[in-house]
Amino acid sequence: MSHCSGYSDPSSFAEDGPEVLDEEGTQEDLEYKLKGFIDLTLDKSAKIRQAALEGIKNALASKMLYEFILERRMTLTDSIERCLKKGKSDEQRAAAALASVLCIQLGPGIESEEVLKTLGPILKKIICDGTASIQARQTCATCFGVCCFIATDDITELYSTLECLENIFTKSYIKEKNTNVICSTPNTVLHISSLLAWTLLLTICPINEVKKKLEMHFHKLPSLLSSDDVNMRIAVGESLALLFELARGMDSDFFYEDMESLTQMLRALATDGNKHRAKVDKRKQRSVFRDILRAVEERDFPTETVKFGPERMYIDCWVKKHTYDAFKEVLGSGMQYHLQSNEFLRNVFELGPPVMLDAAMLKTMKISRFERHLYNSAAFKARTKARSKCRDKRADVGEFF
């Protein structure tokens, strides 16, 4: 006799995400479900394997499950390895994303080092494989950077990873000799992810290595500000701001020879009015480059506040911002939960031990789906009413003239 299993469609879990876990599922239900997903990573169907990987990743991003995964880390690592080696683009992306969240759960230590030791060479191979899908290589670059940030204990391995990522994004440098504007290619997204992962790892390098990298890239990176891809321009600008911060941290009298030329480029991007660029891109770019220009010229950083539960964190430097952005990209909406509960992330951002919340406090913080729906509906009605009034005023002015 055949029977229908709830595991036959793990994609439903991936779509529902953490909300289902928080509101409907108990710890036992969640662990039972996860055991099923781990089994499904061996399924013959690539779609089911991918959905199972995404389901596990969503669970680990939305809940601390250290004890559960500690017992099954070898099984999980084997599943990720198999999917990275044999899977196609989407499955490889799901496997790489799970690898990084697995390391975030485990934190620094021998367990995450073993995960990186097994998966690192495979991630590196995919990143450098010109025949692999660009999207898979891009995700692997991001996740490899995060895994190394957490787990690498070998300085030579850290330097090797930096070199691997450098070999990818520096391919954009070559084009600068031929033209004033660097045209984007399908590889641009890969170059951006590699640059951002490289910058993240630079923040944990010894001073001598940082100095060496600054000498190699400080005068070449600004050429990429002329890229026609807005995300490349922003990634390069933010990386330059972080490099200046590191350089000035090592030497308060740090002098950059091409400062005038660089500030001209940054100012142009902060006030860009090119008609051939999309309005959304220009608005986004101008906002970011105003901050970058202030950082380079005035050594200033506009402090940002991140609220999570009853706590708040102040992002007051480029290193902290870049680190926060890197982990936010991997954890998504689970970032706030991990800032509250994950000891590793709390150590990274110097938040101290997790704050213990009693049941009453948790209840006041939690908003039900129905309440959230009512709140969103009220906000939508208020916005619609305001727009209608604004239109009525414009109509009255038009009739008057």
Side-chain angles (χ1 to χ4, degrees):
M1 291 177 67
S2 63
H3 66 280
C4 179
S5 167
Y7 298 136
S8 60
D9 185 20
S11 60
S12 62
F13 178 91
E15 286 165 8
D16 292 337
E19 224 170 61
V20 171
L21 304 181
D22 292 341
E23 295 183 9
E24 296 170 10
T26 63
Q27 185 75 11
E28 292 78 16
D29 292 338
L30 173 58
E31 290 185 5
Y32 177 71
K33 213 168 195 180
L34 282 174
K35 287 173 190 173
F37 288 165
I38 292 170
D39 291 341
L40 285 177
T41 59
L42 303 173
D43 199 89
K44 289 181 181 179
S45 164
K47 261 191 171 180
I48 289 179
R49 289 197 305 272
Q50 180 193 331
L53 291 166
E54 289 171 353
I56 300 167
K57 184 254 180 187
N58 285 346
L60 299 188
S62 61
K63 216 169 183 67
M64 283 303 295
L65 296 160
Y66 180 80
E67 296 297 333
F68 178 83
I69 63 168
L70 192 62
E71 293 174 15
R72 297 164 179 81
R73 72 182 189 283
M74 297 305 295
T75 306
L76 277 169
T77 305
D78 289 344
S79 294
I80 295 168
E81 181 183 10
R82 194 178 301 104
C83 293
L84 283 172
K85 282 181 174 177
K86 297 184 178 180
K88 300 297 181 186
S89 175
D90 289 341
E91 188 178 343
Q92 287 176 322
R93 292 180 72 188
L98 175 55
S100 55
V101 179
L102 179 61
C103 284
I104 291 170
Q105 283 265 351
L106 292 170
I110 193 163
E111 292 85 7
S112 56
E113 285 172 30
E114 287 173 358
V115 171
L116 183 62
K117 194 174 179 181
T118 303
L119 302 179
I122 305 163
L123 290 169
K124 194 180 289 187
K125 186 179 178 182
I126 294 171
I127 293 165
C128 300
D129 183 2
T131 63
S133 130
I134 292 295
Q135 288 75 20
R137 295 172 71 193
Q138 176 193 3
T139 304
C140 285
T142 298
C143 296
F144 191 30
V146 168
C147 289
C148 284
F149 182 91
I150 299 165
T152 191
D153 194 39
D154 183 353
I155 200 73
T156 55
E157 184 58 39
L158 176 61
Y159 293 166
S160 170
T161 305
L162 282 170
E163 190 179 344
C164 165
L165 296 168
E166 269 176 345
N167 290 338
I168 300 297
F169 76 78
T170 51
K171 287 175 183 173
S172 289
Y173 289 166
I174 300 167
K175 301 162 192 167
E176 71 175 288
K177 298 173 185 174
N178 307 322
T179 177
N180 291 327
V181 177
I182 298 175
C183 296
S184 59
T185 69
N187 288 329
T188 299
V189 289
L190 170 62
H191 295 177
I192 293 168
S193 294
S194 299
L195 171 61
L196 294 175
W198 175 85
T199 309
L200 175 69
L201 293 180
L202 203 61
T203 64
I204 59 170
C205 281
I207 289 175
N208 289 341
E209 186 66 15
V210 174
K211 285 180 178 176
K212 195 189 298 181
K213 296 300 181 187
L214 291 179
E215 287 171 12
M216 285 173 62
H217 297 282
F218 235 148
H219 298 284
K220 292 179 180 178
L221 266 177
S223 67
L224 300 184
L225 292 171
S226 61
S227 169
D228 65 355
D229 185 293
V230 66
N231 293 315
M232 172 62 94
R233 294 194 296 273
I234 289 172
V236 171
E238 292 186 337
S239 296
L240 281 167
L242 188 145
L243 294 184
F244 267 96
E245 188 172 273
L246 291 177
R248 287 164 175 166
M250 293 183 292
D251 177 8
S252 58
D253 298 323
F254 172 76
F255 176 73
Y256 183 69
E257 293 174 4
D258 300 325
M259 181 63 99
E260 189 177 343
S261 169
L262 177 61
T263 51
Q264 281 179 0
M265 292 178 77
L266 295 176
R267 193 170 287 107
L269 290 166
T271 57
D272 191 0
N274 281 342
K275 290 183 179 178
H276 67 275
R277 284 180 181 156
K279 282 184 180 180
V280 176
D281 287 353
K282 283 190 287 189
R283 198 178 298 119
K284 180 182 175 185
Q285 175 185 289
R286 287 196 292 256
S287 171
V288 172
F289 275 94
R290 280 195 293 269
D291 293 340
I292 293 168
L293 183 62
R294 279 170 58 190
V296 172
E297 279 191 323
E298 305 168 26
R299 306 185 180 208
D300 189 25
F301 182 88
T303 302
E304 299 173 20
T305 305
V306 177
K307 295 179 181 177
F308 47 98
E311 301 177 84
R312 61 183 62 199
M313 174 177 76
Y314 298 101
I315 298 177
D316 52 9
C317 64
W318 286 98
V319 169
K320 206 168 187 178
K321 181 185 187 310
H322 192 78
T323 308
Y324 175 82
D325 289 345
F327 282 96
K328 178 82 187 292
E329 184 174 351
V330 172
L331 291 170
S333 60
M335 182 67 178
Q336 290 191 331
Y337 174 83
H338 276 266
L339 283 173
Q340 280 183 270
S341 311
N342 188 313
E343 287 188 19
F344 158 66
L345 273 189
R346 292 184 69 85
N347 285 336
V348 168
F349 294 109
E350 300 175 333
L351 296 169
V355 176
M356 299 303 291
L357 301 173
D358 58 27
M361 175 69 80
L362 285 169
K363 197 170 182 180
T364 59
M365 286 164 52
K366 195 171 182 179
I367 303 172
S368 71
R369 279 188 188 181
F370 180 65
E371 287 173 318
R372 190 160 55 242
H373 174 70
L374 289 177
Y375 176 81
N376 290 338
S377 298
F380 177 75
K381 284 176 186 174
R383 284 196 301 272
T384 306
K385 200 172 180 181
R387 286 194 196 110
S388 299
K389 281 183 181 177
C390 188
R391 286 195 196 100
D392 292 343
K393 284 178 185 175
R394 286 203 297 266
D396 292 342
V397 170
E399 286 171 13
F400 177 78
F401 284 106

